[in-house]
Amino acid sequence: MAALEEPKRPQNPYWLWLSENREQLTKESGSGGVGAVGKLAGQKWKAMSDVAKKPYETKGADLSKEYAQKMADFVAAGGGKGKRRAEKA
């Protein structure tokens, strides 16, 4: 029997947007540094309209529902919530 593996938490809407736009943001910031890209990304995300954010928020909500179902199935099968994080420490 295969060992139970706790499902991974989904990305939030900001991270979904960032993963799609990281290459463009890296070019725009003129640096591949995490700090520069992150700062520019944060500014752009905050400046985006709600309409522009909506597809990412919808996808994030769908992924969260899927995660909740997988987590419920995992716990019902005898898994312990948060165990993977505890094992890393």
Side-chain angles (χ1 to χ4, degrees), residues 43-82:
Q43 291 169 349
K44 286 192 171 277
W45 178 257
K46 286 178 186 176
M48 283 175 65
S49 68
D50 289 342
V51 174
K53 290 180 182 179
K54 186 70 174 164
Y56 301 102
E57 291 170 346
T58 302
K59 187 174 182 181
D62 292 344
L63 290 172
S64 291
K65 288 178 188 174
E66 185 180 318
Y67 168 76
Q69 182 60 49
K70 286 181 180 179
M71 183 56 81
D73 294 343
F74 172 73
V75 170
K81 187 174 181 180

Side-chain angles (χ1 to χ4, degrees), residues 3-16:
L4 290 175
E5 187 172 327
E6 183 176 353
K8 294 181 181 176
R9 289 183 59 124
Q11 293 180 329
N12 66 28
Y14 168 76
W15 284 103
L16 293 169

Side-chain angles (χ1 to χ4, degrees), residues 27-41:
K27 289 178 185 175
E28 197 173 323
S29 72
S31 169
V34 175
V37 173
K39 188 171 185 173
L40 179 62

